[in-house]
Amino acid sequence: MQEIPALITDLTIILVVAALTTLLCKKINLPSVLGYILAGFLAGPVVQFLPTIEDLGSIEVWSDIGVIFLMFGLGLEFSVHKMAEVGVPGFLSAGVQAVGMGAVGVLVGLALGWGTMNSVFLGVMLAMSSTMITMKSIEDLGLKKEPFANLAMGTLVIEDIIAIFAMVILSTIAVSQSISGFALAERIGLLLLYLALWLILGIYLVPTVMKKLVGLMNDEVLLVFSLGLCFLMAVLAEEIGLSTELGAFLAGSLLAGTVHAERVEHLVTPCKNLFGAVFFVSVGFMVQPAMIVQYILPILLLSVISIVGKLFFLTVGGLAAGKRLELSLPAAAAQTQVGEFSFIIAGLGQSLSVTGAFLYPIIVAVSVLTTFTTPFLLKLSPPMERFLQTHLPKKWLNAIERWCQAREQTKEDEGRDWAKFLQGYFKSFTLYGILAVGAILVGVRALLPFLKNMLGGDRILWVELIDCGAIYLLLAFLLPAMLHMKKRYFTSLWLDKVSNRVILSFLMVLRMAVAVLLAAVPAMVIFQVNPLWIMAGALPVIWMATHSKKLAGSYLEVEARFLANFNERKLSARFGQEAGQQAAHRWLTEQLDVVILQCPDDYALAGKRLLELDWGKHDHVNVIKILRDRLLMNIPEGHIVVQSGDKLVVMGGRQQIENFCRQQAQLGVTVFAEPITLKEYIANQQAIPEARQLLCCGVTLDKSMPESDKSVRDSGIKQDWSGILIGLERDLLPIPSPDPSLTLRPGDLLWVMGPQKMAAKLVSLGLLD
């Protein structure tokens, strides 16, 4: 009879014991994680009268896989949108708590004589709360819909991100056995760069690939695809010197933004539960009663410090963010335990041989004690809040109230235009700048050594030329895209104050300087060329490429694809697959404004054709109607000459209309009334004869149509359809007032505006029913 492998016997013991202990915990309303730790203790080497694990090495491998699954599952619950939704309260609460508890932990460790490395790891472990236990406690007490629950969960999201960075920093410190400022800065810089590169490329590629293969993605294939991505990212992270946990987390976060996220999470959950259980059971192996007895006083001390410290720092962080005491205190009470992330960090310290053997069982014991107290603290938070309201000095309470009221008030932001401008300025600058830096790094650090190994010998110069050419081929696309910027708020800021022009000019020069510097780096590093010569040659080339309409169309497409993928899950939830067209139509007509202007008798621009004025290119607005005496011109052609006394009906984005009105006011133009939305304008046409009203129609572009694969500028929509393109929808992403260089693709839903003649043409062409 064939002997059963030790691994199967060990897994049998683990799963049977874990099933019994978790059932017990469920019975007495305790988190399952405590049952797993208890199972590990019972099945571990300490308890001899029960069946004991034999092959600890294999179980450790399963445990490592469990960590990867746990991080992947955490990533599936995280997305960039979710982090943005957390807002200032989550960031402040998590930041104050992490810094405060981290410092307290280090000081306590040093005071106990545990040495620098043990103390640093202790500080980080004490700063981590448990998402799992917090959620379980809130749900068990029926408090999930309470306002403080959102604050608590938002804080935990940021804490998990802090933990990811902390693991990388601790690894750097542990390897060097010292805290080197330069090494730490370099490590964090590389981490941020790789994170950004992975997220940008992943957001662009992963949803795109999944859309292409959606017809093949049954549950089995989707599960294999998702886990393949998870382990691929984990291996890549390990290869470049980062942690497998970080790679798994990133893989989950990439999938979290797709429409398949819930389905993937549902499919992966059984695997995560199985391997996660093995990990938590392996934590229980480390529980040693003798060591706990030996360190009982530090364990009790650290438990008290964790509870009191987290209550204090999380409450202060919540108050600093403007959340009142009745919200901040219960949110803090829900997070007073030491979490499962601390086990991973403790394991990291042991695997790197930089922490003592005593630290792991101590932190496990502290976690168990603080987990038991969490539900009781949640129940006690209302009495604690009343106690503080009664006993805190009135000055403090009044100051807190004034601060919270000030944070809650919605004041008009005087720097709104600057905030919007800088957001647009840094979006393309950062996106393409990171890709450009990544292209240079990959070319110099990866491609060049690879080519030298493959084609080395006496062809080193050719190898370097090929590598440099490949880098510059990518930079030829990325650097002009980095400089491209829609001047939506630029004009208003430029016209607002003379002082603004100095800042705006500096920002424009800064972008060009960075692009030129990046262009010089490859030749400087590979051939040791004087960078000044490269910069001098790169400046006119980059400037010309930036003004290339063909290139502009290419990177506008890339941006549109990136934004569609980035917002895929939110757009799907917002519009839905079936109601997408109507929702996009409604969204576009509500986002575009219409204003009526009258040209004065001495209008400076009178006598010029609309084509010459080119308001569409310079001001991003369209003249949709001209009223001249009794003559009404809908969607006027470019050859129409503007005359004094004309009434112009102008359409554009809200900010573009404001800018245009401000410019025209300087020429004496009269604004009849405040701008209204396009939706309101269309609805208020009852007094106009039906034949002269403006209509909006949606047309889905087909590859057989002549407008397909042409830019908006060259599509001929205005001439062929007697209407103007006011917006389009691509993969549920609404794009109002699209850039003239954007290429129209099959499948785009085009929204056009025009008179009844336009509708008749569209019907005759078979584009409308």
Side-chain angles (χ1 to χ4, degrees):
M1 184 175 177
Q2 188 177 1
E3 186 178 349
I4 298 176
L7 176 59
I8 295 178
T9 305
D10 290 344
L11 286 175
T12 303
I13 296 170
I14 287 174
L15 295 177
V16 169
V17 176
L20 294 173
T21 53
T22 49
L23 283 171
L24 175 63
C25 287
K26 285 287 184 182
K27 182 69 176 176
I28 56 177
N29 291 322
L30 289 175
S32 301
V33 66
L34 294 180
Y36 293 137
I37 294 172
L38 177 59
F41 171 70
L42 296 174
V46 175
V47 180
Q48 297 294 329
F49 59 87
L50 291 175
T52 304
I53 301 301
E54 297 178 16
D55 189 358
L56 284 174
S58 296
I59 297 300
E60 187 176 342
V61 173
W62 278 57
S63 171
D64 292 339
I65 296 173
V67 173
I68 290 175
F69 270 106
L70 287 170
M71 296 304 297
F72 182 59
L74 182 63
L76 283 171
E77 297 174 5
F78 167 85
S79 66
V80 180
H81 286 297
K82 192 170 183 179
M83 189 169 71
E85 288 167 2
V86 167
V88 173
F91 278 94
L92 264 177
S93 295
V96 170
Q97 192 270 153
V99 172
M101 286 304 299
V104 169
V106 171
L107 292 174
V108 171
L110 292 174
L112 293 170
W114 288 355
T116 303
M117 293 305 296
N118 284 320
S119 300
V120 170
F121 272 79
L122 176 65
V124 175
M125 287 187 283
L126 288 182
M128 298 299 112
S129 298
S130 170
T131 304
M132 187 186 303
I133 293 168
T134 299
M135 289 177 63
K136 182 72 169 59
S137 300
I138 289 174
E139 286 177 2
D140 288 349
L141 294 173
L143 302 173
K144 194 173 181 179
K145 294 184 179 180
E146 292 296 318
F148 78 85
N150 289 331
L151 176 60
M153 297 314 299
T155 303
L156 287 165
V157 168
I158 306 303
E159 278 188 26
D160 291 338
I161 304 302
I162 292 172
I164 295 287
F165 280 89
M167 289 172 66
V168 176
I169 294 169
L170 288 174
S171 299
T172 304
I173 296 172
V175 170
S176 62
Q177 291 294 309
S178 62
I179 305 176
S180 167
F182 178 77
L184 201 56
E186 183 184 20
R187 186 79 168 179
I188 294 173
L190 278 174
L191 171 63
L192 291 171
L193 176 63
Y194 286 132
L195 276 173
L197 274 173
W198 271 343
L199 286 172
I200 290 169
L201 292 173
I203 288 169
Y204 185 81
L205 294 173
V206 172
T208 303
V209 170
M210 294 183 81
K211 284 174 189 172
K212 298 285 186 185
L213 304 175
V214 67
L216 307 173
M217 288 279 188
N218 59 21
D219 286 354
E220 179 184 357
V221 175
L222 183 59
L223 175 62
V224 173
F225 177 88
S226 304
L227 295 184
L229 178 67
C230 168
F231 282 92
L232 174 64
M233 295 286 281
V235 170
L236 285 175
E238 185 74 21
E239 286 294 319
I240 61 175
L242 300 174
S243 65
T244 55
E245 292 87 353
L246 175 61
F249 175 82
L250 281 173
S253 64
L254 291 179
L255 291 171
T258 70
V259 292
H260 304 282
E262 288 87 356
R263 190 173 158 209
V264 171
E265 190 172 2
H266 174 72
L267 294 171
V268 169
T269 296
C271 300
K272 183 185 75 172
N273 290 342
L274 172 62
F275 287 97
V278 176
F279 166 70
F280 287 119
V281 169
S282 71
V283 171
F285 294 164
M286 307 299 295
V287 177
Q288 301 174 31
M291 193 168 285
I292 291 174
V293 171
Q294 181 183 350
Y295 288 95
I296 188 63
L297 291 178
I299 288 171
L300 293 174
L301 175 64
L302 290 172
S303 299
V304 172
I305 288 173
S306 176
I307 293 169
V308 175
K310 285 175 183 282
L311 267 176
F312 174 75
F313 289 117
L314 285 166
T315 302
V316 169
L319 292 172
K323 297 296 181 182
R324 299 177 186 274
L325 191 61
E326 56 266 30
L327 291 180
S328 300
L329 189 60
Q335 303 172 70
T336 51
Q337 71 293 125
V338 173
E340 58 274 2
F341 232 127
S342 301
F343 305 154
I344 299 173
I345 293 170
L348 175 68
Q350 286 209 329
S351 66
L352 295 171
S353 303
V354 293
T355 57
F358 65 90
L359 196 57
Y360 204 127
I362 284 177
I363 207 66
V364 171
V366 172
S367 176
V368 171
L369 285 175
T370 52
T371 297
F372 275 111
T373 61
T374 300
F376 299 105
L377 286 170
L378 267 172
K379 291 178 182 178
L380 289 172
S381 58
M384 285 192 290
E385 189 260 327
R386 289 194 293 270
F387 176 83
L388 291 175
Q389 293 281 11
T390 306
H391 291 81
L392 281 177
K394 290 294 181 184
K395 287 184 178 180
W396 291 16
L397 292 172
N398 291 335
I400 291 171
E401 182 65 23
R402 286 195 301 272
W403 172 254
C404 291
Q405 286 179 353
R407 296 288 298 178
E408 288 173 358
Q409 286 176 354
T410 54
K411 295 180 179 178
E412 183 68 24
D413 181 12
E414 295 179 359
R416 177 174 58 91
D417 283 2
W418 270 112
K420 294 287 187 181
F421 168 75
L422 291 174
Q423 183 181 357
Y425 174 90
F426 283 110
K427 185 180 72 174
S428 57
F429 191 19
T430 305
L431 175 68
Y432 290 106
I434 287 170
L435 290 174
V437 173
I440 295 170
L441 279 176
V442 170
V444 172
R445 291 192 173 189
L447 183 60
L448 184 58
F450 173 76
L451 291 175
K452 283 182 177 178
N453 288 333
M454 293 287 293
L455 309 170
D458 57 350
R459 289 176 292 205
I460 294 297
L461 178 60
W462 283 106
V463 166
E464 290 176 339
L465 285 171
I466 292 170
D467 181 64
C468 200
I471 295 173
Y472 277 113
L473 195 62
L474 286 171
L475 292 183
F477 174 80
L478 295 171
L479 294 183
M482 187 180 82
L483 296 173
H484 177 73
M485 180 188 67
K486 295 179 182 178
K487 297 185 178 181
R488 295 183 59 183
Y489 298 90
F490 182 93
T491 306
S492 61
L493 290 169
W494 186 272
L495 294 171
D496 190 31
K497 294 179 184 176
V498 176
S499 58
N500 284 351
R501 300 179 185 182
V502 177
I503 303 172
L504 292 169
S505 300
F506 169 76
L507 289 173
M508 296 303 105
V509 171
L510 175 65
R511 289 163 67 96
M512 180 61 76
V514 171
V516 171
L517 180 63
L518 287 173
V521 168
M524 184 177 65
V525 172
I526 295 172
F527 297 111
Q528 305 299 313
V529 178
N530 189 326
L532 293 177
W533 291 106
I534 302 295
M535 289 181 184
L539 185 60
V541 174
I542 293 173
W543 188 88
M544 287 188 291
T546 304
H547 291 78
S548 165
K549 293 177 181 178
K550 190 171 183 179
L551 269 179
S554 299
Y555 51 73
L556 282 169
E557 276 197 81
V558 171
E559 283 188 34
R561 169 59 58 195
F562 180 85
L563 288 172
N565 289 349
F566 181 67
N567 296 288
E568 183 183 43
R569 193 174 177 186
K570 290 187 73 175
L571 289 168
S572 180
R574 180 178 179 180
F575 295 145
Q577 296 292 339
E578 295 179 2
Q581 294 187 3
Q582 294 179 357
H585 186 190
R586 188 165 57 249
W587 189 90
L588 285 168
T589 55
E590 289 173 358
Q591 289 296 312
L592 294 171
D593 277 2
V594 174
V595 69
I596 302 175
L597 310 171
Q598 181 161 21
C599 305
D601 292 336
D602 56 348
Y603 188 42
L605 301 181
K608 292 191 176 183
R609 295 179 300 158
L610 289 174
L611 194 63
E612 293 177 74
L613 297 173
D614 205 4
W615 285 329
K617 178 181 178 181
H618 298 298
D619 300 287
H620 302 284
V621 298
N622 286 298
V623 178
I624 60 173
K625 187 176 291 190
I626 295 179
L627 293 87
R628 182 178 298 162
D629 297 327
R630 296 184 179 181
L631 177 65
L632 185 152
M633 291 175 276
N634 280 323
I635 315 298
E637 299 286 348
H639 65 268
I640 298 296
V641 176
V642 176
Q643 298 180 9
S644 297
D646 282 352
K647 288 183 182 178
L648 307 177
V649 182
V650 184
M651 179 192 70
R654 196 151 294 149
Q655 190 62 42
Q656 286 75 30
I657 289 293
E658 285 182 22
N659 295 341
F660 185 73
C661 289
R662 192 182 305 177
Q663 285 179 289
Q664 293 301 311
Q666 295 175 0
L667 300 175
V669 172
T670 303
V671 180
F672 270 93
E674 290 295 314
I676 60 174
T677 66
L678 178 59
K679 181 181 178 181
E680 292 171 323
Y681 180 79
I682 291 173
N684 293 338
Q685 295 183 98
Q686 291 88 350
I688 303 173
E690 185 178 341
R692 301 169 75 183
Q693 289 183 9
L694 288 173
L695 309 171
C696 273
C697 301
V699 177
T700 300
L701 200 61
D702 185 83
K703 62 181 178 181
S704 63
M705 294 167 62
E707 294 78 15
S708 181
D709 296 318
K710 290 183 181 177
S711 69
V712 173
R713 181 187 294 105
D714 301 328
S715 64
I717 287 176
K718 191 168 185 179
Q719 295 77 19
D720 299 340
W721 296 357
S722 301
I724 57 171
L725 182 68
I726 64 171
L728 62 89
E729 178 193 339
R730 179 173 293 175
D731 294 328
L732 291 181
L733 176 70
I735 306 175
S737 303
D739 191 286
S741 298
L742 181 66
T743 303
L744 303 177
R745 295 299 185 199
D748 287 349
L749 176 63
L750 310 182
W751 289 103
V752 290
M753 169 183 271
Q756 206 171 49
K757 181 174 69 171
M758 177 198 73
K761 278 193 176 184
L762 293 176
V763 170
S764 67
L765 292 169
L767 303 179
L768 285 182
D769 297 330

